[in-house]
Amino acid sequence: MSGWIDVCDAEDIDLEDVIRFDHGGRTFAVYRTLDGAVFATDGLCTHEKVHLADGLVMDDTIECPKHNGRFNYQTGAALRAPVCEALATYPARLRDGRIEIEVEQS
Amino acid sequence: MNAFSPQIKRDYSLDGPENRHAVEVGLASAEWYHSEVPRKVMKSLMRRSDEAADRDTVLWFLLLIFTGSATIALWGSWWVLPFLLGYGVLYGTACDSRWHECGHGTAFKTDWKNNAVYHIASFMVMRNPISWRWSHARHHTDTIIVGRDPEIVLMRPPEIAMAALKFIGVPDIFYELRTLARNAAGIITEAEKDYIPEAERPKAIYWARVHMAIYGAAVLLALVTWSILPLVLIGGPRIYGCWHMVMMGLLQHGGLAEDVLDHRLNSRTVLINPVSRFLYWNMNYHVEHHMFPMVPYHALPRLHALIKHDLPAPNPSIADAYGDLIYALVRQTREAGYTIRRALPPTAQPYCEEFHDTDGVPSRRAGK
């Protein structure tokens, strides 16, 4: 069963930036674009399980801080070696100034 | 005496028992210590720009064209020597740092520029651009973890004469040419398979064939013109111009700890002159680079200034660093477990000691 989970205030994430969000034993990366739209992906790089929230957001890509692999965080597509496997994405929305993501509840 | 005793040469192969050992004790793909840098500051350090790398790359190519043209024009005269030596270092040394930074994708903001310079530099340094990209990713995942890191240059006990030969490209060029030839023949070894994903292996074979075709054309041109000049300009600088690359490369991790999870224990920062920094693209800030590999080369001096309170003092010169390194290598010939351990300033966080093998015997623990 999936449900919307409250993450944080929108202002807690800078424009064109990312934060780590842990919930239910899982870790996510939650992004805010330059124009304020929000997105969510798995929190760990598919290459070596490094937290993407320590990486760099550039336009619609997130760069892993360890090996500089890149993903499109809006689609999850792997863009640059050494990442080959796509990143799981999750619906995200703004509601009354708060960011929410939709994930499977255990 | 156990398998990791200081008296026994360790097995640095990637498909041997040390690989399994590293995985079992939690040294593989582990979390590493890093100094604290506020997120906003780190973002400003990581920010990409084309400006510095455009300037440095245009200058690099112009210098290559100038010294290469002068070498051709003056070939046969003693006046060729300064230009030949300059061309050699610009080709056989500067290629390594360009390969490295563009491989990380941090030198330029525009990624096609990273990829273009990466491929040119890979050819110049005689490295398969695909397999070495993956090898270097592993080097960052498992830096100087025995059995895991494919880029450990100085193994213990050290073979000092072999290390000295590296300054004239021996045996590296034979090894690299043999590897390229093997890859070009469609063969990927078991060790290479340990770090190159299956989907990438055809690309490694393709680029090896491209490199070997260019070397073949250079050899053919040398035969047709009955002159060694084509090989002096293509491939040759990897012999007579690599000395600066090797000089700096040996300092990156030489004499320091193996099997630790703290780059302050296994990497070295050395303060060097501006010409060497241009050739080396600031990789002398090697602790900083390993701790934060997403910081571009042009921001490393700023990063160093921000975290030096948490790092051992850098060696103040190349000569000073070689004093440390040579002492360590000589001592390791009779005491393989010896490693340099530098004092931290009082402002630093203590070393992460869990795996520090100062006696050459890595501690063991249950898997993570």
mmCIF file of all heavy atoms in Angstrom, chain B residues 284-314:
data_model
loop_
_atom_site.group_PDB
_atom_site.id
_atom_site.type_symbol
_atom_site.label_atom_id
_atom_site.label_comp_id
_atom_site.label_asym_id
_atom_site.label_seq_id
_atom_site.Cartn_x
_atom_site.Cartn_y
_atom_site.Cartn_z
ATOM 1 N N ASN B 284 48.363 17.392 -6.575
ATOM 2 C CA ASN B 284 49.223 17.345 -5.385
ATOM 3 C C ASN B 284 48.382 17.463 -4.118
ATOM 4 O O ASN B 284 48.842 17.093 -3.042
ATOM 5 C CB ASN B 284 50.279 18.458 -5.433
ATOM 6 C CG ASN B 284 49.674 19.818 -5.707
ATOM 7 O OD1 ASN B 284 49.006 19.993 -6.720
ATOM 8 N ND2 ASN B 284 49.898 20.771 -4.827
ATOM 9 N N TYR B 285 47.152 17.986 -4.242
ATOM 10 C CA TYR B 285 46.228 18.018 -3.095
ATOM 11 C C TYR B 285 45.488 16.680 -3.068
ATOM 12 O O TYR B 285 44.277 16.599 -3.294
ATOM 13 C CB TYR B 285 45.250 19.184 -3.231
ATOM 14 C CG TYR B 285 45.925 20.534 -3.196
ATOM 15 C CD1 TYR B 285 46.114 21.286 -4.335
ATOM 16 C CD2 TYR B 285 46.398 21.050 -1.984
ATOM 17 C CE1 TYR B 285 46.745 22.522 -4.304
ATOM 18 C CE2 TYR B 285 47.034 22.285 -1.941
ATOM 19 C CZ TYR B 285 47.201 23.003 -3.099
ATOM 20 O OH TYR B 285 47.830 24.232 -3.049
ATOM 21 N N HIS B 286 46.236 15.638 -2.789
ATOM 22 C CA HIS B 286 45.685 14.302 -3.043
ATOM 23 C C HIS B 286 44.771 13.800 -1.936
ATOM 24 O O HIS B 286 43.819 13.062 -2.201
ATOM 25 C CB HIS B 286 46.813 13.306 -3.317
ATOM 26 C CG HIS B 286 46.405 12.287 -4.327
ATOM 27 N ND1 HIS B 286 46.125 12.598 -5.639
ATOM 28 C CD2 HIS B 286 46.175 10.958 -4.217
ATOM 29 C CE1 HIS B 286 45.761 11.510 -6.286
ATOM 30 N NE2 HIS B 286 45.771 10.497 -5.450
ATOM 31 N N VAL B 287 45.059 14.182 -0.703
ATOM 32 C CA VAL B 287 44.135 13.802 0.376
ATOM 33 C C VAL B 287 42.777 14.456 0.107
ATOM 34 O O VAL B 287 41.718 13.798 0.187
ATOM 35 C CB VAL B 287 44.664 14.260 1.756
ATOM 36 C CG1 VAL B 287 43.694 13.849 2.860
ATOM 37 C CG2 VAL B 287 46.048 13.703 2.026
ATOM 38 N N GLU B 288 42.824 15.719 -0.230
ATOM 39 C CA GLU B 288 41.586 16.465 -0.481
ATOM 40 C C GLU B 288 40.823 15.855 -1.661
ATOM 41 O O GLU B 288 39.596 15.729 -1.619
ATOM 42 C CB GLU B 288 41.919 17.938 -0.793
ATOM 43 C CG GLU B 288 42.527 18.705 0.374
ATOM 44 C CD GLU B 288 44.053 18.525 0.500
ATOM 45 O OE1 GLU B 288 44.599 17.587 -0.117
ATOM 46 O OE2 GLU B 288 44.686 19.301 1.231
ATOM 47 N N HIS B 289 41.564 15.487 -2.717
ATOM 48 C CA HIS B 289 40.905 14.907 -3.894
ATOM 49 C C HIS B 289 40.201 13.598 -3.534
ATOM 50 O O HIS B 289 39.066 13.355 -3.957
ATOM 51 C CB HIS B 289 41.920 14.665 -5.010
ATOM 52 C CG HIS B 289 41.374 13.801 -6.103
ATOM 53 N ND1 HIS B 289 40.335 14.203 -6.919
ATOM 54 C CD2 HIS B 289 41.691 12.531 -6.498
ATOM 55 C CE1 HIS B 289 40.042 13.229 -7.765
ATOM 56 N NE2 HIS B 289 40.838 12.199 -7.525
ATOM 57 N N HIS B 290 40.872 12.756 -2.757
ATOM 58 C CA HIS B 290 40.234 11.474 -2.423
ATOM 59 C C HIS B 290 39.064 11.654 -1.467
ATOM 60 O O HIS B 290 38.083 10.911 -1.531
ATOM 61 C CB HIS B 290 41.264 10.511 -1.838
ATOM 62 C CG HIS B 290 41.883 9.649 -2.893
ATOM 63 N ND1 HIS B 290 41.297 8.509 -3.380
ATOM 64 C CD2 HIS B 290 43.034 9.792 -3.589
ATOM 65 C CE1 HIS B 290 42.050 7.970 -4.319
ATOM 66 N NE2 HIS B 290 43.111 8.726 -4.468
ATOM 67 N N MET B 291 39.191 12.600 -0.577
ATOM 68 C CA MET B 291 38.088 12.810 0.364
ATOM 69 C C MET B 291 36.854 13.364 -0.339
ATOM 70 O O MET B 291 35.727 12.982 -0.035
ATOM 71 C CB MET B 291 38.561 13.805 1.431
ATOM 72 C CG MET B 291 38.282 13.387 2.839
ATOM 73 S SD MET B 291 38.819 14.666 3.953
ATOM 74 C CE MET B 291 39.949 13.744 4.957
ATOM 75 N N PHE B 292 37.086 14.249 -1.314
ATOM 76 C CA PHE B 292 35.974 14.908 -2.017
ATOM 77 C C PHE B 292 36.256 14.890 -3.530
ATOM 78 O O PHE B 292 36.598 15.916 -4.120
ATOM 79 C CB PHE B 292 35.818 16.349 -1.522
ATOM 80 C CG PHE B 292 35.512 16.446 -0.061
ATOM 81 C CD1 PHE B 292 36.488 16.852 0.844
ATOM 82 C CD2 PHE B 292 34.254 16.137 0.434
ATOM 83 C CE1 PHE B 292 36.214 16.942 2.208
ATOM 84 C CE2 PHE B 292 33.974 16.218 1.795
ATOM 85 C CZ PHE B 292 34.954 16.621 2.681
ATOM 86 N N PRO B 293 36.075 13.720 -4.168
ATOM 87 C CA PRO B 293 36.458 13.618 -5.578
ATOM 88 C C PRO B 293 35.597 14.441 -6.535
ATOM 89 O O PRO B 293 35.928 14.565 -7.710
ATOM 90 C CB PRO B 293 36.329 12.120 -5.882
ATOM 91 C CG PRO B 293 35.536 11.546 -4.779
ATOM 92 C CD PRO B 293 35.662 12.438 -3.592
ATOM 93 N N MET B 294 34.489 15.000 -6.039
ATOM 94 C CA MET B 294 33.645 15.793 -6.934
ATOM 95 C C MET B 294 34.072 17.258 -6.982
ATOM 96 O O MET B 294 33.466 18.052 -7.700
ATOM 97 C CB MET B 294 32.172 15.679 -6.515
ATOM 98 C CG MET B 294 31.843 16.218 -5.160
ATOM 99 S SD MET B 294 32.491 15.168 -3.837
ATOM 100 C CE MET B 294 31.648 15.843 -2.422
ATOM 101 N N VAL B 295 35.115 17.609 -6.246
ATOM 102 C CA VAL B 295 35.606 18.989 -6.293
ATOM 103 C C VAL B 295 36.583 19.123 -7.470
ATOM 104 O O VAL B 295 37.563 18.389 -7.544
ATOM 105 C CB VAL B 295 36.306 19.361 -4.965
ATOM 106 C CG1 VAL B 295 36.966 20.730 -5.061
ATOM 107 C CG2 VAL B 295 35.299 19.339 -3.819
ATOM 108 N N PRO B 296 36.328 20.051 -8.412
ATOM 109 C CA PRO B 296 37.206 20.184 -9.578
ATOM 110 C C PRO B 296 38.622 20.590 -9.185
ATOM 111 O O PRO B 296 38.832 21.195 -8.131
ATOM 112 C CB PRO B 296 36.552 21.308 -10.395
ATOM 113 C CG PRO B 296 35.171 21.441 -9.878
ATOM 114 C CD PRO B 296 35.188 20.985 -8.458
ATOM 115 N N TYR B 297 39.567 20.296 -10.064
ATOM 116 C CA TYR B 297 40.975 20.553 -9.749
ATOM 117 C C TYR B 297 41.233 22.007 -9.395
ATOM 118 O O TYR B 297 42.054 22.308 -8.535
ATOM 119 C CB TYR B 297 41.868 20.121 -10.918
ATOM 120 C CG TYR B 297 41.860 21.049 -12.101
ATOM 121 C CD1 TYR B 297 42.827 22.030 -12.263
ATOM 122 C CD2 TYR B 297 40.873 20.955 -13.086
ATOM 123 C CE1 TYR B 297 42.815 22.886 -13.354
ATOM 124 C CE2 TYR B 297 40.853 21.800 -14.177
ATOM 125 C CZ TYR B 297 41.824 22.769 -14.301
ATOM 126 O OH TYR B 297 41.794 23.624 -15.376
ATOM 127 N N HIS B 298 40.506 22.925 -10.062
ATOM 128 C CA HIS B 298 40.801 24.338 -9.837
ATOM 129 C C HIS B 298 40.296 24.822 -8.480
ATOM 130 O O HIS B 298 40.678 25.908 -8.033
ATOM 131 C CB HIS B 298 40.240 25.201 -10.976
ATOM 132 C CG HIS B 298 38.800 24.926 -11.301
ATOM 133 N ND1 HIS B 298 37.760 25.426 -10.578
ATOM 134 C CD2 HIS B 298 38.239 24.163 -12.283
ATOM 135 C CE1 HIS B 298 36.618 25.009 -11.100
ATOM 136 N NE2 HIS B 298 36.878 24.230 -12.124
ATOM 137 N N ALA B 299 39.445 24.026 -7.805
ATOM 138 C CA ALA B 299 38.941 24.417 -6.478
ATOM 139 C C ALA B 299 39.696 23.717 -5.353
ATOM 140 O O ALA B 299 39.416 23.962 -4.172
ATOM 141 C CB ALA B 299 37.442 24.114 -6.380
ATOM 142 N N LEU B 300 40.644 22.838 -5.694
ATOM 143 C CA LEU B 300 41.328 22.082 -4.636
ATOM 144 C C LEU B 300 42.169 22.952 -3.693
ATOM 145 O O LEU B 300 42.186 22.687 -2.479
ATOM 146 C CB LEU B 300 42.188 20.967 -5.247
ATOM 147 C CG LEU B 300 41.392 19.767 -5.775
ATOM 148 C CD1 LEU B 300 42.316 18.779 -6.487
ATOM 149 C CD2 LEU B 300 40.657 19.051 -4.644
ATOM 150 N N PRO B 301 42.853 23.993 -4.195
ATOM 151 C CA PRO B 301 43.575 24.842 -3.227
ATOM 152 C C PRO B 301 42.629 25.469 -2.198
ATOM 153 O O PRO B 301 42.965 25.600 -1.022
ATOM 154 C CB PRO B 301 44.227 25.910 -4.109
ATOM 155 C CG PRO B 301 44.370 25.248 -5.452
ATOM 156 C CD PRO B 301 43.152 24.371 -5.575
ATOM 157 N N ARG B 302 41.428 25.858 -2.652
ATOM 158 C CA ARG B 302 40.449 26.444 -1.721
ATOM 159 C C ARG B 302 39.975 25.387 -0.725
ATOM 160 O O ARG B 302 39.820 25.666 0.468
ATOM 161 C CB ARG B 302 39.274 27.000 -2.543
ATOM 162 C CG ARG B 302 38.420 28.014 -1.826
ATOM 163 C CD ARG B 302 37.790 29.018 -2.810
ATOM 164 N NE ARG B 302 36.999 28.412 -3.851
ATOM 165 C CZ ARG B 302 35.677 28.277 -3.803
ATOM 166 N NH1 ARG B 302 35.007 28.691 -2.750
ATOM 167 N NH2 ARG B 302 35.023 27.730 -4.803
ATOM 168 N N LEU B 303 39.741 24.171 -1.217
ATOM 169 C CA LEU B 303 39.327 23.094 -0.312
ATOM 170 C C LEU B 303 40.432 22.810 0.710
ATOM 171 O O LEU B 303 40.149 22.620 1.907
ATOM 172 C CB LEU B 303 39.014 21.832 -1.123
ATOM 173 C CG LEU B 303 38.701 20.571 -0.319
ATOM 174 C CD1 LEU B 303 37.465 20.773 0.571
ATOM 175 C CD2 LEU B 303 38.487 19.367 -1.246
ATOM 176 N N HIS B 304 41.671 22.790 0.248
ATOM 177 C CA HIS B 304 42.793 22.549 1.164
ATOM 178 C C HIS B 304 42.799 23.582 2.288
ATOM 179 O O HIS B 304 42.956 23.231 3.472
ATOM 180 C CB HIS B 304 44.111 22.599 0.386
ATOM 181 C CG HIS B 304 45.320 22.585 1.260
ATOM 182 N ND1 HIS B 304 45.741 21.460 1.927
ATOM 183 C CD2 HIS B 304 46.183 23.576 1.618
ATOM 184 C CE1 HIS B 304 46.820 21.746 2.638
ATOM 185 N NE2 HIS B 304 47.103 23.019 2.471
ATOM 186 N N ALA B 305 42.605 24.844 1.920
ATOM 187 C CA ALA B 305 42.625 25.906 2.939
ATOM 188 C C ALA B 305 41.500 25.702 3.959
ATOM 189 O O ALA B 305 41.665 26.003 5.144
ATOM 190 C CB ALA B 305 42.501 27.271 2.268
ATOM 191 N N LEU B 306 40.381 25.149 3.499
ATOM 192 C CA LEU B 306 39.218 24.978 4.382
ATOM 193 C C LEU B 306 39.375 23.822 5.370
ATOM 194 O O LEU B 306 38.834 23.871 6.475
ATOM 195 C CB LEU B 306 37.965 24.730 3.538
ATOM 196 C CG LEU B 306 37.298 25.956 2.951
ATOM 197 C CD1 LEU B 306 36.300 25.545 1.878
ATOM 198 C CD2 LEU B 306 36.581 26.736 4.059
ATOM 199 N N ILE B 307 40.085 22.766 4.959
ATOM 200 C CA ILE B 307 40.112 21.578 5.826
ATOM 201 C C ILE B 307 41.502 21.239 6.355
ATOM 202 O O ILE B 307 41.686 20.212 6.998
ATOM 203 C CB ILE B 307 39.508 20.338 5.114
ATOM 204 C CG1 ILE B 307 40.346 19.925 3.896
ATOM 205 C CG2 ILE B 307 38.066 20.578 4.733
ATOM 206 C CD1 ILE B 307 39.911 18.579 3.300
ATOM 207 N N LYS B 308 42.481 22.096 6.111
ATOM 208 C CA LYS B 308 43.848 21.726 6.509
ATOM 209 C C LYS B 308 43.982 21.563 8.023
ATOM 210 O O LYS B 308 44.884 20.859 8.481
ATOM 211 C CB LYS B 308 44.868 22.730 5.973
ATOM 212 C CG LYS B 308 44.745 24.130 6.503
ATOM 213 C CD LYS B 308 45.786 25.014 5.828
ATOM 214 C CE LYS B 308 45.651 26.436 6.347
ATOM 215 N NZ LYS B 308 46.551 27.365 5.648
ATOM 216 N N HIS B 309 43.072 22.178 8.779
ATOM 217 C CA HIS B 309 43.099 22.011 10.236
ATOM 218 C C HIS B 309 42.805 20.559 10.642
ATOM 219 O O HIS B 309 43.070 20.153 11.769
ATOM 220 C CB HIS B 309 42.056 22.917 10.895
ATOM 221 C CG HIS B 309 40.646 22.513 10.547
ATOM 222 N ND1 HIS B 309 40.029 22.904 9.384
ATOM 223 C CD2 HIS B 309 39.749 21.725 11.189
ATOM 224 C CE1 HIS B 309 38.818 22.393 9.319
ATOM 225 N NE2 HIS B 309 38.617 21.657 10.410
ATOM 226 N N ASP B 310 42.243 19.780 9.701
ATOM 227 C CA ASP B 310 41.854 18.406 10.008
ATOM 228 C C ASP B 310 42.790 17.391 9.333
ATOM 229 O O ASP B 310 42.523 16.189 9.376
ATOM 230 C CB ASP B 310 40.410 18.191 9.524
ATOM 231 C CG ASP B 310 39.757 16.968 10.176
ATOM 232 O OD1 ASP B 310 40.067 16.683 11.352
ATOM 233 O OD2 ASP B 310 38.967 16.291 9.486
ATOM 234 N N LEU B 311 43.832 17.885 8.692
ATOM 235 C CA LEU B 311 44.726 17.002 7.926
ATOM 236 C C LEU B 311 46.145 17.068 8.491
ATOM 237 O O LEU B 311 46.535 18.079 9.075
ATOM 238 C CB LEU B 311 44.792 17.450 6.455
ATOM 239 C CG LEU B 311 43.483 17.683 5.719
ATOM 240 C CD1 LEU B 311 43.772 18.096 4.279
ATOM 241 C CD2 LEU B 311 42.607 16.447 5.741
ATOM 242 N N PRO B 312 46.924 16.009 8.272
ATOM 243 C CA PRO B 312 48.347 16.137 8.600
ATOM 244 C C PRO B 312 48.959 17.245 7.750
ATOM 245 O O PRO B 312 48.496 17.497 6.631
ATOM 246 C CB PRO B 312 48.929 14.766 8.230
ATOM 247 C CG PRO B 312 47.929 14.119 7.348
ATOM 248 C CD PRO B 312 46.599 14.705 7.656
ATOM 249 N N ALA B 313 49.983 17.888 8.266
ATOM 250 C CA ALA B 313 50.612 18.975 7.510
ATOM 251 C C ALA B 313 51.113 18.443 6.172
ATOM 252 O O ALA B 313 51.683 17.354 6.109
ATOM 253 C CB ALA B 313 51.771 19.553 8.305
ATOM 254 N N PRO B 314 50.901 19.199 5.077
ATOM 255 C CA PRO B 314 51.402 18.726 3.779
ATOM 256 C C PRO B 314 52.919 18.763 3.746
ATOM 257 O O PRO B 314 53.541 19.550 4.471
ATOM 258 C CB PRO B 314 50.813 19.735 2.789
ATOM 259 C CG PRO B 314 50.575 20.965 3.585
ATOM 260 C CD PRO B 314 50.240 20.507 4.979
#
